[in-house]
Amino acid sequence: MHHLVIDRWSRGTSPLHQCDPRAKLAALLVFLIALSTTLPPAQGAFAAYAILLLLAAKLAHLPIRGLAGRAALVLPFTATFALLTWWSGDSLRALALIEKSFLSGLAALLLVSTTPLTGWTAALESWHAPRMLILVIQFVYRYLFVIAEQAQRMRWAALCRGRGSFRLAAGLVGVLFARSWQRADGVYHSMLARGFRGRFVPSPLAPFHAIDALFLFACLAGCLAIRILL
Amino acid sequence: MPRHPHTAVSRAIHIQGLRYRYPDGTQALNGIDFHLDSGESVALFGANGSGKTTFVLHLNGLLRGEGSIEICGLPLADETLEQIRSKVGVVFQDSDEQLFMPTVLEDVAFGPLNLGLSPEDAQTRARTVLKRVGMTHALERAPYHLSAGEKKRVAIAGVLAMDPEILVLDEPTTFLDPPTRRDLLALLRSLPQAKVVVTHDANLARALATRAVFFDHGQIAGEGDVMEVIQRFHWEYS
């Protein structure tokens, strides 16, 4: 399962893994702002952003193909808009749309692949991000395991009784929703039974070291240089 | 385990006239009177849908029906809910519902953290109970990759880490093979807490409980010595 792999990756020991989650989160925000404000004709800048991310992935000892494949999961969502833009005659903007969504996905993936969930949600909490948002992120992450496993079991059970079809898939999605609801209710009950009071206890963050500030500064400088010069 | 004043409190659970109706109108519990003494182990028998699981979900306020519930002398109310949840540890039938953190160690430390322990103390306590249930080899593993027996042990560890005075076990041996069942039984027998065990397994009840209660259509149809209840309600395969 994708989330299990990412969870395993996030527990690595590379220099990027050891960097403070707040520095990585800030670097991601800087990167996303620079990327989103880059104009479509600056194709060299997109290539430079990609190189920057590849270097970061290399530094984190993460498999480039695995990362790229997972980041490409966002493409079907943006492809529709890119196609419409291309039909309207603006092929460069269509290309930029694809590039921006892929690179954004890759950057976000790099953050979660080098920082355990408890680390980056603690960083969000230290920035006073809305508690409800953090809670939703944490619940979605936990329920993903539960729902993915349920879906797998139902798929096997269905395949044992015949060939897959669109109708079968549609039926499975409906039943999966109902069962996931029940399962999520059970998980929530067990959390309450173990003293959950509507808030996950955040992991304590280590002090922000000079090396973390240096990393953030390097990311900021790199992004600004690409954004302004290319 | 630092806290087990079984001698100071003689009645662990005292319930009178408990009734509960589900939102769809099903009357699941219909006037339950029940008690459990400190250190005592009781088996709950009954057919599927007879109200056993609904009943145990009331013991730490996950469901709230009509009637009075006292846990270790504390009346169940909004103000006492937190205290009561730290006294009653529920091990659910499906371990997958209980294991939701990325690693075994984090999962077991979840309860102690909610009790207000520091992360270091929570981890120390988690390691201690994982050692007790024989799961120290899986500290950093994802709970979803464990076998059914291992999941059950980790689920029990997660509850023991909260240092409860009462253990509620809902079908603890479901999905377990005979050797794993035997190991689990030895583990449960070694725990000093008072126990409420929901089970269909007469052998488990005989080995673990001193008293049995038989549920039927949301009411207690009979109670007494385990063998007596098994024979009275024909609660064996043959």
Side-chain angles (χ1 to χ4, degrees), chain A residues 4 7 11 118 141-142 145 149 153 183 186-187 189-197 199-201 204, chain B residues 60 62 82 85 92 94 96-98 100-103 106-108 110-111 113-115 119 144-145 158 162:
Chain A
L4 273 182
D7 205 62
R11 290 168 196 283
T118 44
Y141 183 82
R142 278 159 181 86
F145 288 90
E149 202 157 289
R153 280 187 202 148
R183 181 51 78 93
V187 171
H189 268 162
S190 80
M191 289 168 74
L192 287 179
R194 287 204 278 157
F196 182 68
R197 281 171 282 173
R199 181 174 178 264
F200 287 94
V201 180
Chain B
N60 65 356
L62 291 174
E82 238 174 74
R85 284 188 178 154
F92 290 81
D94 187 349
D96 283 331
E97 286 180 357
Q98 203 158 338
F100 43 78
M101 296 294 276
T103 67
E106 285 175 88
D107 200 279
V108 177
F110 176 82
L113 282 172
N114 287 327
L115 286 179
Y144 309 93
H145 285 167
M162 295 190 70

Side-chain angles (χ1 to χ4, degrees), chain B residues 132-133 153 156 182-191:
Chain B
R132 181 159 196 187
V133 301
R153 281 174 178 270
I156 292 171
R182 204 168 47 233
D183 291 348
L184 183 71
L185 185 60
L187 169 69
L188 293 176
R189 289 183 75 161
S190 72
L191 300 173

Side-chain angles (χ1 to χ4, degrees), chain B residues 21-226:
Chain B
R21 185 191 292 272
Y22 278 103
D24 68 356
T26 309
Q27 185 74 45
L29 299 177
N30 200 1
I32 301 285
D33 295 326
F34 177 87
H35 72 273
L36 179 78
D37 291 336
S38 294
E40 189 189 14
S41 292
V42 171
L44 304 189
F45 289 134
N48 296 326
S50 59
K52 307 181 298 293
T53 298
T54 304
F55 172 71
V56 295
L57 290 178
H58 280 80
L59 298 181
N60 65 356
L62 291 174
L63 292 180
R64 305 282 287 273
E66 296 165 35
S68 85
I69 300 179
E70 270 187 29
I71 306 292
C72 303
L74 284 172
L76 182 72
D78 290 340
E79 312 79 62
T80 56
L81 205 55
E82 238 174 74
Q83 255 181 300
I84 283 176
R85 284 188 178 154
S86 71
K87 288 180 187 297
V88 183
V90 182
V91 180
F92 290 81
Q93 180 178 6
D94 187 349
S95 304
D96 283 331
E97 286 180 357
Q98 203 158 338
L99 308 174
F100 43 78
M101 296 294 276
T103 67
V104 165
L105 186 63
E106 285 175 88
D107 200 279
V108 177
F110 176 82
L113 282 172
N114 287 327
L115 286 179
L117 267 69
S118 70
E120 294 75 28
D121 290 345
Q123 287 226 346
T124 306
R125 195 184 276 192
R127 283 175 196 276
T128 308
V129 290
L130 281 165
K131 188 176 177 188
R132 181 159 196 187
V133 301
M135 287 299 296
T136 41
H137 61 282
L139 296 181
E140 296 301 327
R141 285 178 66 190
Y144 309 93
H145 285 167
L146 303 176
S147 69
E150 288 176 322
K151 281 181 186 175
K152 188 61 80 180
R153 281 174 178 270
V154 174
I156 292 171
V159 167
L160 290 179
M162 295 190 70
D163 195 18
E165 291 180 31
I166 302 160
L167 269 182
V168 177
L169 303 139
D170 191 357
E171 301 284 3
T173 52
T174 310
F175 307 131
L176 301 185
D177 56 49
T180 312
R181 201 176 279 214
R182 204 168 47 233
D183 291 348
L184 183 71
L185 185 60
L187 169 69
L188 293 176
R189 289 183 75 161
S190 72
L191 300 173
Q193 285 88 350
K195 297 176 197 77
V196 177
V197 188
V198 176
T199 185
H200 291 303
D201 185 342
N203 290 329
L204 173 82
R206 268 198 298 258
L208 207 59
T210 47
R211 185 161 65 91
V213 173
F214 196 91
F215 275 68
D216 188 26
H217 293 97
Q219 290 180 312
I220 291 180
E223 62 182 298
D225 175 73
V226 177

